[in-house]
């Protein structure tokens, strides 16, 4: 799906969920593959504003389940990431980099979004 043009409405739909915004922002900032654990921790850091030690195991499990079953599959379907289920590794694609300028503007427009964006 590399090279597919992602339309603006699709990008907005993907950014509708706060956890997906955090995942996208983190992947744009890191510019490398991240584990589901890395992404779960990023969500805790930017969404829950609490040290990992203070977040319940139940909350971490819920975040990982949502990432695995909802958020990452939507990003894979859009062609923005590839997912290796065996290694639980989420890798940004060239398509994510191609939409980085538009995506960065969308993410920066969210007054609640605090994840770093160096894109």
């Amino acid at each position: 799906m590399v090279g597919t043009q992602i339309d603006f409405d699709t990008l907005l739909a993907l950014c509708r969920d706060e956890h997906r915004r955090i995942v996208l922002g983190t992947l744009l900032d890191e510019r490398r593959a991240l584990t589901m654990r890395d992404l779960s921790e990023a969500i805790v850091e930017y969404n829950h504003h609490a040290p990992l030690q203070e977040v319940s195991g139940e909350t971490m499990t819920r975040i990982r389940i949502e990432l695995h079953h909802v958020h990452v599959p939507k990003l894979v379907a859009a062609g923005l990431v590839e997912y290796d289920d065996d290694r639980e590794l989420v890798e940004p694609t060239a398509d994510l980099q191609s939409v980085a300028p538009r995506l960065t503007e969308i993410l920066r427009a969210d007054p609640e979004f605090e994840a770093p964006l160096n894109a």
Side-chain angles (χ1 to χ4, degrees):
M1 196 161 179
V2 172
T4 302
Q5 182 67 2
I6 297 172
D7 66 52
F8 190 68
D9 287 337
T10 300
L11 207 50
L12 285 175
L14 289 171
C15 290
R16 192 168 290 136
D17 182 87
E18 184 175 30
H19 286 185
R20 273 196 304 276
R21 290 192 302 273
I22 294 167
V23 168
L24 289 167
T26 301
L27 289 168
L28 282 176
D29 187 56
E30 293 289 328
R31 299 176 188 231
R32 64 182 175 90
L34 297 170
T35 64
M36 292 291 257
R37 180 185 177 118
D38 295 332
L39 295 173
S40 298
E41 290 175 1
I43 289 170
V44 167
E45 181 180 344
Y46 296 113
N47 184 263
H48 296 274
H49 307 287
L52 288 173
Q53 303 85 345
E54 293 179 14
V55 176
S56 72
E58 181 181 307
T59 298
M60 289 301 292
T61 298
R62 181 182 50 78
I63 289 169
R64 289 190 67 160
I65 289 170
E66 288 175 3
L67 279 174
H68 184 78
H69 292 288
V70 179
H71 304 306
V72 170
K74 286 185 181 209
L75 298 175
V76 168
L80 298 179
V81 302
E82 293 178 351
Y83 180 60
D84 180 335
D85 194 30
D86 293 332
R87 295 176 25 206
E88 292 193 344
L89 198 63
V90 179
E91 185 168 2
T93 65
D95 283 349
L96 180 61
Q97 287 306 312
S98 73
V99 299
R102 290 186 292 158
L103 183 56
T104 299
E105 291 306 313
I106 292 168
L107 296 177
R108 284 188 175 143
D110 179 354
E112 300 295 318
F113 191 72
E114 298 177 4
L117 286 172
N118 297 325

